[in-house]
């Protein structure tokens, strides 16, 4: 049966809605304009409690609910324009959407926002987008839009209308398109396709997220009027409909979803009307999202595209687990999508068919995470370009502990862990004896995984029913074999039935966009427990072995990161450098001849890589404005020194004086005891990458390095060229002309050039500009390894997270002066202190309980939460213990990060 509204039915419903509004006494409330160009009105609709049209199999009960709305228009009031409905996220209200609504109104749309049932000032019970209730409400709002004189019509009772929203609101946009054929375009964001699969993936109860979901709606609404029976009025049910409340309580107690629960959520999901959604759809899904992962977007795209509708897919950086905020850009792309498909603007740039956002570190100048994009002309799905990475490891037996605890840790909702793996950080914890692991050899080349990896394993379980619940994850393991990160903190639950005598299954791992660098390993872990999920309470033993060649990883070869245009300095610096070098050489010789003496060497400081004393440099033409003033610090062998400061702090000027490129006004610089002057012989022991490298664009990367080394006049065998090329990791690109390189490729080549000859002192100015997050992590490991052999590295960078993980010592500058210098831990404060945020005030007895935990030194309550000093325990272990104590954890992190210390120091200096 086709439940979509036909044109005649639309006219009848429009008339019925008008009568209901008049009878209910809907009132316009004209509010003062925040923006003169936008007209804004408030309205409350009185609507039937249930549609009674049989969409969900029920009948209306004659009750009513009140739906609170806001309406926005701008421009010529007599002009007709398309309309847009904006839905809010779960736990929110229409107030969250005002900024986007006003912007759409200024762009020529009539925009209606509303608070869904049970949220904001709207009454009624939360039905999780029940087709007979929340979805029917959207159709009645469309009826009202069809009566507005400023809204463009496609036919009588049929407005030109799009629907957009995030999470809960994103799902209702999909459902509205499936149930009401008047919807013309949609733009769902970070939402679900099948809610039963989101909360019960592969039949495993997603306990923490589901608990948060139902707890958010459990508070009894202060404005809502209960319309359900006594069961729904229990405190535990709050604003939820009685059937949903009973379902959640049943599953939460048993720890396992039943078919009735799955069917209840499935019928309220867009998947239930998959064959009816045939309008242009912009799908924006989060990579950092353990609630609604990327496979939901994949299912949406396949179904809607299969219905013949245009579809664009974007994997954004954030999601329900946190991450960078791309709201402004996503709102703009949504607006362009509606311009094309509602206004009919053929020139609107709706973006690529597929886009992936890739994240970098944090820039201290603006506090923003650096983002870049990879795009393709078509959506590749989750298995495009698959290749197999061999795994090794014997058959392994491990335990599912009684009661399912202590559980392993992967994603923890509310901790904002999204994007941590891009920085090489992992909160994951796997307990010995509760997991099996299989590992690849070190990768001979980098592998960019874009999609969902799969692996075949054989599972045997000695549980009573012969079933097993496993949690699969694919780690990125560093060259040392110990440091590991879990991409986006994602794990895939797997329920294996009929495994009493052994069963071979294919495990589909979470969809990711992650680069495994050359020299790294892939580590497959299958765990019996996970903190975010319910695992069987009965103890059991599981035996697991590999049943295939290894892990099959998709690479999406059609994805491209656009090469940035060559900056001006690539063309200007080579000839300018030659001229400057000749001038410096001549002037240096003249000065030396005039003075009749050379700077000489201080034997007592011959083993000190760098010592700066009283260094000052005025700006050209100024007697009292200094780029650097009275700067003094010392660097020892084996250190990785981070040179930090905001723009204009004098960092680059200091580095240029260190290289002899400019002459200080006063003070001195000594490298291995030699005073620095232009052309000083000791500079042959220094490798530097300052303000970019000048390459000849028509030559290959390899030819540029070889030419550079020949120009030094040193023997070819001293270049250590192969080591430098291995560091660059450019592969076949080394044989291509440099003019074809992206910015990141040129950056890697420049750093390899600085390392030619394996200098004793390596100076890098912003070495991670243009690099992908995995490349940044690899660069970090290169610098650490380089210094571990007794050499010294000085790095100037805006990426504070990278500096904190890479550097042993810091020099902080501001306005040309030294603010502070010393070891990283002294500047950032103790690294063993964790600040744990909890929901509500900290209970009086909680600090004492936490202090008594193993591996914890002390715990005190603060205004921000609970301050815990660790004494042997790790952060992941602490979180596991806190959640075992049922502490309502909402955040966790170092008490003082480098970012905090840096901003404090700079703020104090100003």
């Amino acid at each position: 049966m086709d439940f979509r509204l036909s044109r005649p039915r639309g006219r009848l419903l429009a008339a019925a809605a008008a009568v209901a509004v008049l009878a209910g006494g809907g009132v316009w409330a004209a509010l003062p304009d925040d923006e003169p160009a936008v007209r804004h009105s408030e309205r409350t609709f009185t609507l039937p409690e249930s549609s009674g049209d049989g969409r969900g199999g029920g009948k209306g009960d004659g009750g009513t609910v009140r739906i609170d709305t806001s309406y926005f228009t701008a421009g010529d009031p007599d002009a007709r324009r398309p309309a847009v409905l904006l839905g809010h996220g779960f736990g929110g209200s229409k107030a969250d959407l005002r900024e986007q609504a006003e912007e759409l109104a200024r762009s020529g749309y009539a925009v209606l926002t509303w608070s869904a049932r049970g949220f904001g000032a709207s009454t009624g019970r939360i039905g999780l987008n029940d087709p007979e209730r929340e979805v029917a409400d959207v159709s009645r709002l469309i009826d009202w839009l069809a009566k507005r004189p400023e809204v463009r019509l496609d036919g009588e009772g049929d407005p030109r209308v799009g629907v957009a929203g995030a999470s809960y609101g994103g799902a209702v946009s999909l459902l509205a398109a499936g149930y009401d054929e008047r919807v013309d375009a949609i733009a769902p964001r970070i939402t679900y396709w099948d809610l039963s699969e989101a909360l019960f993936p592969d039949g495993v109860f997603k306990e923490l997220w589901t608990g948060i979901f139902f707890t958010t709606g459990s508070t009894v609404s202060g404005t809502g009027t209960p319309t359900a029976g006594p069961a729904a009025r229990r405190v535990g049910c709050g604003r939820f409909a009685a059937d949903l409340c009973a379902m959640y309580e049943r599953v939460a107690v048993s720890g396992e979803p039943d078919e009735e629960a799955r069917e209840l959520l499935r019928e309220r999901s867009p998947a239930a009307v998959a064959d009816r959604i045939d309008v242009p759809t912009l799908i924006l899904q989060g990579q950092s999202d353990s609630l609604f992962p990327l496979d939901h977007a994949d299912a949406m795209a396949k179904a809607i595209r299969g219905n013949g509708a245009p579809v664009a897919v974007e994997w954004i950086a954030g999601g329900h687990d946190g991450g960078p905020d791309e709201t402004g850009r996503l709102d703009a792309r949504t607006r362009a999508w509606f311009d094309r498909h509602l206004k009919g603007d053929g020139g609107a740039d709706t973006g690529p068919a597929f886009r992936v956002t890739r994240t970098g570190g944090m820039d201290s100048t603006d506090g923003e995470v650096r983002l870049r994009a990879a795009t393709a002309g078509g959506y590749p799905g989750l298995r495009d370009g698959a290749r197999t990475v061999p795994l090794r490891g014997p058959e392994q037996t491990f335990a599912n502990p009684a009661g399912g605890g202590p559980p392993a840790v992967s994603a923890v909702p509310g901790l904002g862990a999204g994007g941590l793996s891009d920085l090489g950080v992992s909160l994951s914890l796997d307990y010995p004896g509760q997991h099996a692991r299989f590992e690849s050899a070190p990768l001979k080349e980098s592998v960019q995984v874009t999609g969902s990896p799969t692996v075949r394993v054989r599972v045997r379980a000695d549980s009573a029913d012969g079933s097993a619940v496993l949690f699969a994850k694919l780690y990125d393991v560093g060259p040392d074999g110990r440091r590991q990160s879990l991409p986006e903190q994602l794990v895939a639950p797997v329920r294996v039935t009929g495994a009493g005598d052994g069963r071979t299954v294919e495990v589909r791992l979470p969809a990711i966009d992650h680069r495994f660098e050359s020299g790294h390993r892939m580590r497959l872990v299958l765990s019996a427990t996970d903190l975010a999920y319910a695992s069987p309470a009965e103890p059991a033993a599981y035996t697991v072995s590999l049943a295939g060649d290894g892990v099959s990883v998709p690479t999406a070869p059609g994805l491209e990161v656009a090469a940035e245009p060559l900056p001006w300095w690539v063309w200007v610096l080579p000839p300018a450098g030659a001229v400057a070098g000749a001038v410096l050489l001549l002037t240096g010789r003249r000065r030396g001849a005039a003075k009749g003496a050379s700077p000489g060497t201080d034997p007592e400081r011959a083993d000190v890589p760098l010592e700066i004393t009283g260094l000052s440099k005025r700006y050209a033409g100024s007697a009292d404005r200094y780029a650097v003033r009275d700067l003094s610090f010392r660097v020892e062998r084996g250190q990785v020194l981070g040179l930090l400061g905001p723009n204009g702090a004098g960092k680059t000027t200091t580095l240029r004086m260190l290289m002899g490129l400019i002459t200080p006004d006063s003070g001195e610089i000594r490298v291995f005891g030699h005073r620095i002057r232009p052309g000083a012989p000791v500079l042959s022991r220094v490798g530097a990458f300052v303000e970019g490298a000048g390459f000849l664009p028509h030559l290959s990367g390899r030819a540029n390095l070889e030419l550079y080394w020949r120009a030094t006049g040193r023997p070819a065998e001293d270049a250590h060229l192969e080591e430098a090329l291995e560091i660059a990791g450019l592969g076949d690109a080394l044989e291509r002309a440099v003019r074809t390189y992206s910015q990141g490729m040129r950056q890697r080549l420049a750093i390899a050039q600085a390392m030619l000859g394996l200098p004793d002192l390596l100076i890098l100015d912003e070495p991670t500009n243009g690099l992908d997050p995995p490349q940044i992590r690899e660069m970090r490991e290169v610098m650490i390894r380089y210094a571990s052999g007794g050499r010294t590295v000085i790095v100037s960078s805006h990426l504070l997270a990278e500096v904190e993980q890479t550097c042993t010592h810091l020099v902080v500058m501001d306005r040309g002066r030294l603010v502070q210098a010393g070891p990283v831990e002294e500047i950032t404060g103790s690294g063993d202190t964790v600040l744990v945020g909890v929901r509500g005030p900290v209970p009086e007895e909680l600090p004492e309980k936490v202090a008594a935990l193993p591996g914890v030194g002390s715990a005190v309550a603060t205004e921000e939460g609970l301050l815990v000093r660790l004494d042997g325990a790790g952060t992941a272990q602490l979180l596991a213990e806190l959640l075992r104590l049922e502490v309502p954890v909402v955040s966790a992190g170092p008490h003082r990060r480098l970012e905090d210390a840096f901003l404090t120091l700079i703020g104090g200096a100003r």
Side-chain angles (χ1 to χ4, degrees), residues 804-840:
E804 186 168 13
Q805 295 181 74
T806 304
C807 296
T808 60
H809 292 70
L810 298 175
V811 168
V812 182
M813 297 177 63
D814 189 30
R815 300 184 182 184
R817 293 182 178 271
L818 177 70
V819 177
Q820 189 168 344
V824 173
E825 60 270 15
E826 288 184 7
I827 293 177
T828 60
S830 175
D832 60 1
T833 304
V834 178
L835 181 63
V836 179
V838 299
R839 188 178 296 110

Side-chain angles (χ1 to χ4, degrees), residues 596-617:
S598 64
T601 304
D602 184 347
E604 294 184 359
R605 289 182 280 186
D607 201 43
V608 179
L610 174 64
E611 187 170 15
I612 293 178
T613 308
L615 192 67
S616 293
K617 180 68 178 178

Side-chain angles (χ1 to χ4, degrees), residues 66 68 88-94 114-124 126-128 134 168 213 216-217 221 223 239-240:
R66 296 191 304 277
D68 185 35
H88 60 79
F90 195 83
S93 72
K94 67 173 188 176
W114 79 101
S115 294
R117 297 184 182 211
F119 297 107
S122 294
T123 65
I126 300 170
L128 292 183
E134 286 94 342
Y168 194 51
F213 209 49
T216 301
S221 172
T223 58
R239 292 170 284 164
F240 275 102

Side-chain angles (χ1 to χ4, degrees), residues 199-430:
L199 301 185
F200 312 139
D202 205 18
V204 181
F205 180 34
K206 193 180 288 184
E207 188 172 35
L208 280 189
W209 262 125
T210 308
I212 290 173
F213 209 49
F214 277 85
T215 300
T216 301
S218 67
T219 304
V220 177
S221 172
T223 58
T225 301
T227 58
R233 296 189 177 94
R234 296 201 304 272
V235 173
C237 292
R239 292 170 284 164
F240 275 102
D243 54 352
L244 290 170
C245 180
M247 179 275 294
Y248 171 66
E249 291 180 345
R250 187 173 70 251
V251 173
V253 169
S254 69
E256 186 174 330
D258 50 44
E259 184 54 37
E260 183 182 352
R262 287 194 288 267
E263 184 57 33
L264 180 63
L265 297 184
R266 194 177 296 122
E267 69 183 13
R268 299 170 192 223
S269 300
V273 287
D275 60 335
R276 307 180 196 172
I277 305 175
D278 56 5
V279 299
T281 304
L282 173 63
I283 301 170
L284 307 169
Q285 201 76 348
Q287 298 177 60
S288 300
D289 203 321
S290 57
L291 178 58
F292 305 139
L294 295 173
D295 55 350
H296 286 259
D298 181 67
M300 289 177 214
K302 289 179 178 176
I304 299 171
R305 187 171 56 186
N307 294 334
V311 175
V313 180
E314 179 167 337
W315 293 357
I316 66 176
H320 285 87
D321 290 330
D325 183 8
E326 296 191 85
T327 301
R329 185 184 64 78
L330 300 180
D331 287 350
R333 187 170 187 192
T334 298
R335 189 165 60 251
W337 187 258
F338 286 153
D339 287 349
R340 171 74 65 83
H341 298 290
L342 296 182
K343 289 184 178 179
D345 180 0
D349 182 7
T350 59
F354 181 54
R355 183 186 192 276
V356 180
T357 299
R358 292 174 177 167
T359 61
M362 179 178 290
D363 189 330
S364 67
T365 60
D366 56 16
E368 297 294 325
V369 174
R370 295 182 175 182
L371 305 176
R372 61 188 311 196
T375 61
Y379 174 60
L382 300 182
R383 294 291 304 152
D384 186 44
R387 54 173 289 189
T388 298
V389 176
L391 297 178
R392 56 192 179 190
E395 181 179 84
Q396 298 164 60
T397 299
F398 55 97
N400 175 58
V409 179
S410 56
V412 182
L415 289 186
L420 284 178
S421 60
D422 290 335
L423 303 176
V425 179
S426 180
L427 293 177
S428 302
L429 173 67
D430 299 299

Side-chain angles (χ1 to χ4, degrees), residues 20 38 78-79 89-90 96 114 154 328 700 705 712 722 769 807 899:
V38 177
D78 297 324
F90 195 83
D96 303 334
W114 79 101
D154 290 330
S700 68
L705 294 183
T712 69
E722 293 308 316
N769 276 351
C807 296
E899 179 189 357

